[in-house]
């Protein structure tokens, strides 16, 4: 078997912060499908329409160097510029009001919104993240990929490609339970994978149509759809309404409010449409966080039920 990778070099022609652009694809520090190597290379294992593939991307002084392995290697390299935000337009967001958020906008011109073109790849981990802590969701993702994923092509030792739609559908109830996934989230994933071909079509749809396609599935609400389309479609306006922390973070950054709700969130972001998600990404870069008045959300161990 020939293990030689396919290769591609791409000169973006604009500032590109490779790691911040791809960071949303990584589900925690132990994600079996995404990792950052010691030399700074970003590795990603995906199940593409052409089959499993592994992509390694490195920034070489402004030029992107990519290698890919597996049946999906050609597909991954062909879409490399789109993945790295070639179709994104951060310059269309007018200068933000003076303060830390404008400084983040000015200081990070290379932040682009990635676009994978793969819906299920982002939808399933988003469902796992519903109503639980990040640590719980990341653990479930790691366990499920370890037990039901397949080894990533190429030299990416220990990395895993997520199961196919059919393989997700065949996971028995006790394995979901063992991974700490409650029946409601497991049932939502099972419904989604049965509709995988229709949901994957959302990657080519306009924002409103894509939202409608995803949220037509019971258990997929506005938050889950937004978290998915931010990654699969590079949607600059997809706001994660229903997020536990986001309203307070945005309220504090844009209005100095220690506590806000979803209505406040949407009102504060309204002037920035159609770049509301982009503004949220910039706010995250400021490090601004509202004061805490209570304990953190406690994890739930669904395995004990």
């Amino acid at each position: 078997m020939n293990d030689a990778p396919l290769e591609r070099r791409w000169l973006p022609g604009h500032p590109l912060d490779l790691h911040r652009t791809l960071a949303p694809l990584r589900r925690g520090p132990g994600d079996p499908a995404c990792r950052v190597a010691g030399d700074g290379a970003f590795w990603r294992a995906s199940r593409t329409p052409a089959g499993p593939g592994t992509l390694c991307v490195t920034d070489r002084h402004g030029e992107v160097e990519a290698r890919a392995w597996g049946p999906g290697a050609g597909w991954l390299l062909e879409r490399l510029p789109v993945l790295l935000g070639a179709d994104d337009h951060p310059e269309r967001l007018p200068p933000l009001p003076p303060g830390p958020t404008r400084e983040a906008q000015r200081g990070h011109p290379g932040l682009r919104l990635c676009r994978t073109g793969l819906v299920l790849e982002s939808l399933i981990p988003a469902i796992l993240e519903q109503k639980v802590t990040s640590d719980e969701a990341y653990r479930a993702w790691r366990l499920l990929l370890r037990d039901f994923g397949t080894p990533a092509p190429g030299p990416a030792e220990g990395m895993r490609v997520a199961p196919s739609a059919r393989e997700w559908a065949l996971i028995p109830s006790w394995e979901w339970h063992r991974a700490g996934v409650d029946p409601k989230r497991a049932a939502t994933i099972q419904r989604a994978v049965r509709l995988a071909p229709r949901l994957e079509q959302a990657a080519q749809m306009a924002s409103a149509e894509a939202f409608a396609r995803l949220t037509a599935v019971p258990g997929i609400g506005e938050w889950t759809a937004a978290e998915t389309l931010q990654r699969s479609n590079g949607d600059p306006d997809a706001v994660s309404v229903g997020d536990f922390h986001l309203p307070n973070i945005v309220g504090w950054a844009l209005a100095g409010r220690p506590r806000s709700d979803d209505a406040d969130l949407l009102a504060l972001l309204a002037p920035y449409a159609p770049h509301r998600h982009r503004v949220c990404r910039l706010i995250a870069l400021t490090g601004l966080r509202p004061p805490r008045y209570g304990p953190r959300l406690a994890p739930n161990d669904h395995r004990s039920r």
Side-chain angles (χ1 to χ4, degrees):
M1 181 177 179
N2 184 9
D3 292 327
L6 299 181
E7 298 183 357
R8 178 174 182 177
R9 291 178 180 270
W10 177 59
L11 190 63
H14 53 72
L16 175 64
D17 187 329
L18 180 71
H19 286 278
R20 285 193 172 94
T21 295
L22 294 177
L25 303 182
R26 195 178 182 201
R27 305 290 181 159
D31 186 348
C34 281
R35 70 168 56 150
V36 178
D39 62 357
F42 191 98
W43 289 76
R44 172 174 168 250
S46 293
R47 187 170 296 277
T48 78
T54 303
L55 179 69
C56 175
V57 188
T58 309
D59 185 347
R60 302 293 187 191
H61 307 291
E63 183 180 40
V64 175
E65 179 184 282
R67 293 171 291 154
W69 295 261
W75 190 91
L76 290 168
L77 291 180
E78 180 182 3
R79 289 187 53 84
L80 179 70
V82 175
L83 173 70
L84 297 178
D87 294 340
D88 187 31
H89 297 284
E91 73 281 357
R92 293 179 183 175
L93 174 65
L96 296 170
T101 308
R102 179 187 282 188
E103 291 307 310
Q105 181 184 22
R106 182 183 302 165
H108 297 279
L111 175 66
R112 318 288 288 194
L113 301 182
C114 65
R115 181 176 183 177
T116 68
L118 300 170
V119 173
L120 212 64
E121 176 180 277
S122 293
L123 176 60
I124 290 177
I127 295 171
L128 291 175
E129 292 168 7
Q130 292 175 348
K131 308 296 184 182
V132 298
T133 65
S134 296
D135 287 346
E136 291 173 89
Y138 295 159
R139 178 185 179 278
W141 179 245
R142 288 196 304 270
L143 290 177
L144 291 166
L145 262 62
R146 183 196 69 186
D147 293 342
F148 301 101
T150 54
E157 185 177 351
M159 291 189 69
R160 309 286 286 181
V161 177
S164 66
R166 185 174 187 276
E167 289 166 341
W168 281 117
L170 292 175
I171 297 177
S173 59
W174 59 86
E175 294 290 356
W176 293 105
H177 184 76
R178 190 174 65 85
V181 182
D182 61 272
K184 183 176 180 180
R185 286 180 293 153
T188 299
I189 291 174
Q190 298 283 8
R191 283 191 292 268
V193 298
R194 287 195 291 269
L195 297 169
R198 281 184 53 78
L199 297 184
E200 290 292 353
Q201 293 171 1
Q204 309 303 323
M205 294 177 178
S207 181
E209 189 179 2
F211 264 90
R213 178 64 59 91
L214 295 185
T215 55
V217 180
I220 297 178
E222 192 169 359
W223 182 89
T224 305
E227 290 286 315
T228 301
L229 296 176
Q230 290 162 10
R231 296 164 172 84
S232 65
N233 293 30
D235 190 331
D237 204 44
V239 182
S240 300
V241 175
D243 191 89
F244 187 76
H245 300 288
L246 187 62
N248 293 334
I249 293 171
V250 171
W252 182 250
L254 296 183
R257 300 174 186 164
R259 290 295 176 266
S260 299
D261 57 21
D262 283 334
D264 298 324
L265 169 72
L266 293 174
L268 288 169
L269 292 176
Y272 306 111
H275 294 275
R276 295 176 297 171
H277 169 56
R278 192 187 312 281
V279 172
C280 292
R281 288 290 309 276
L282 291 171
I283 289 173
L285 292 178
T286 68
L288 293 172
R289 294 295 184 271
R292 291 179 181 160
Y293 295 124
R296 291 187 174 188
L297 181 67
N300 293 309
D301 190 349
H302 299 282
R303 294 168 298 168
S304 63
R305 299 180 182 178

